[in-house]
Amino acid sequence: MIIRPISEEEREVYNQVVNHPLQTWEWGEFRQNTGVKVERIGFFKKSKVDKALQVTFHPVPHFPQYSIGYCPRAFCPNEDQLSALKQLGKKHNALFIKLEPNVVAKVGETADFKQLAHFLIEQGCQPGRPLFTKHTFQLDLTQSEEDLFANLKSKTRYNANLAQRKGVKILEDSSQQGLQTYLDILQETINRQGFYAHNPEYFKKMWEMLGGNDMMHIFHAVYDDTTLASWIIFKLNDTLYYPYGASRSIHRKLMASNLMMWEMIVWGKNQGCKIFDMWGSLGPKPDKKNPWYGFHRFKKGYGGDLMRFIGTYDLVLNYPLYGFFRFADNIRWKWLRFKTKLSHIF
């Protein structure tokens, strides 16, 4: 096997072998535009790219001479590929490279995960703090539209029908104005629910890089000339993804988001997608007090399978500083949670 960096001239063939939006060339360009360093490695068989992955390197706060690598939703690397990642990490003076492989199975069918996890730990990885959730709902879009609708939970089906009867319309506007509408509603959502989100500049740069290549789409749920909900949808190969959504507090009884999700299912099916990945959920026994429980219950209503990813593993390259970083990172997250609670009190 030949292992080497991927060149600009190989962009098209690179995109043909990766299997997630966050591994595409365009996503790497977007992230590079936000100030992080991007590396792409190809793994060749008989002079053809067999697999490829993309890693972003982020400076450690207050210690810019060090970095942290991040490789989201690539394949699970073997020993040779991990060795290549280690060399790449040393090039960027990385403390570790966070791996979140796109290895997923239905809950209850994850027997192979133990063997893979054991291999990763043997190779110098440690379980890390996740950036992606460990679970997601995935819906099989190869079913007929009638079967898909019949498989909705009765309450979900009722709410989608209600929104349609009341005159809610789902419209695509993937233009710059469409993005601005999303950002306006996102700010309302953040103020109401108190969660963290990327700043507007992040999404504007994302739209500049992804908006014109058929991967990024923006949809609005509109009622009486007022946009009630706005979603960003990704489409890659045969899979549809729902990574970002925002909604207004007005007219909530119209159930606009329920209709939006159903229309995304129909749209994805008509686009030839076979899977709808809803981009994260809680596990099989969700805590009703969890702030994300409402999102989990909402997605569950659409009849998808609850899936589990293999998880998050840090490929450690500098053990002493890695331990210090994890300690400081734990304190940081505790402070952020405390700060969020304070904002709801005052």
Side-chain angles (χ1 to χ4, degrees), residues 43-79:
F43 304 92
F44 293 75
K45 285 184 178 180
K46 297 181 179 179
S47 75
K48 291 186 178 181
V49 182
D50 179 55
K51 292 183 177 180
L53 54 77
Q54 182 168 257
V55 186
T56 54
F57 287 93
H58 310 250
V60 176
H62 310 297
F63 299 93
Q65 68 270 35
Y66 298 106
S67 72
I68 296 169
Y70 184 41
C71 184
R73 294 300 181 247
F75 58 90
C76 193
N78 62 25
E79 189 170 348

Side-chain angles (χ1 to χ4, degrees), residues 1 9 83 195 210 229 342:
M1 175 180 288
E9 292 73 23
S83 179
F195 63 74
L210 277 64
L342 280 181

Side-chain angles (χ1 to χ4, degrees), residues 126-321:
Q126 292 191 17
R129 179 186 296 279
L131 296 182
F132 267 92
T133 60
K134 186 177 283 189
H135 296 86
T136 189
F137 284 107
Q138 289 187 351
L139 181 62
D140 177 8
L141 297 182
T142 63
Q143 305 171 75
S144 69
E145 186 174 326
E146 292 75 16
D147 286 343
L148 285 166
F149 194 67
N151 288 336
L152 304 186
K153 300 290 185 182
S154 59
K155 184 63 174 178
T156 301
R157 191 163 52 244
Y158 174 83
N159 288 343
N161 280 328
L162 173 67
Q164 197 167 46
R165 288 199 310 270
K166 294 294 185 179
V168 176
K169 304 294 183 184
I170 307 301
L171 307 172
E172 180 174 3
D173 183 1
S174 299
S175 68
Q176 191 170 17
Q177 181 56 51
L179 176 66
Q180 187 57 53
T181 300
Y182 169 79
L183 293 175
D184 292 342
I185 298 176
L186 177 63
Q187 189 58 54
E188 290 186 33
T189 307
I190 293 170
N191 293 340
R192 183 177 71 247
Q193 298 184 347
F195 63 74
Y196 294 97
H198 296 293
N199 61 40
E201 194 62 27
Y202 181 92
F203 286 102
K204 289 176 182 177
K205 289 180 178 179
M206 182 191 298
W207 179 83
E208 289 172 4
M209 293 296 170
L210 277 64
N213 71 352
D214 196 40
M215 188 168 83
M216 178 179 176
H217 297 264
I218 304 171
F219 289 88
H220 303 317
V222 180
Y223 172 73
D224 196 22
D225 296 326
T226 300
T227 303
L228 304 182
S230 182
W231 289 11
I232 292 176
I233 296 292
F234 289 163
K235 179 171 70 73
L236 181 67
N237 300 330
D238 63 356
T239 304
L240 188 70
Y241 302 87
Y242 165 40
Y244 305 109
S247 62
R248 287 197 162 107
S249 57
I250 60 172
H251 299 306
R252 298 188 70 80
K253 291 184 178 180
L254 293 180
M255 303 300 173
S257 293
N258 285 104
L259 181 60
M260 176 80 91
M261 182 70 94
W262 168 247
E263 290 294 338
M264 292 304 93
I265 291 170
V266 175
W267 183 83
K269 181 174 177 58
N270 290 338
Q271 291 287 312
C273 295
K274 297 179 181 179
I275 299 171
F276 185 10
D277 186 328
M278 299 182 189
W279 205 277
S281 70
L282 301 179
K285 296 179 180 179
D287 180 359
K288 293 184 178 181
K289 296 180 180 179
N290 189 298
W292 296 101
Y293 178 75
F295 294 103
H296 174 92
R297 184 178 57 186
F298 172 75
K299 294 174 182 180
K300 184 179 180 180
Y302 290 85
D305 293 315
L306 183 61
M307 312 292 286
R308 181 189 165 194
F309 290 96
I310 190 173
T312 304
Y313 291 88
D314 295 341
L315 178 60
V316 182
L317 305 173
N318 186 324
Y319 278 92
L321 289 182

Side-chain angles (χ1 to χ4, degrees), residues 6 11-20 41-43 48-53 75 237:
I6 294 286
R11 172 178 183 154
E12 185 175 342
V13 69
Y14 169 88
N15 273 344
Q16 290 174 359
V17 298
V18 297
N19 62 356
H20 194 276
I41 310 176
F43 304 92
K48 291 186 178 181
V49 182
D50 179 55
K51 292 183 177 180
L53 54 77
F75 58 90
N237 300 330

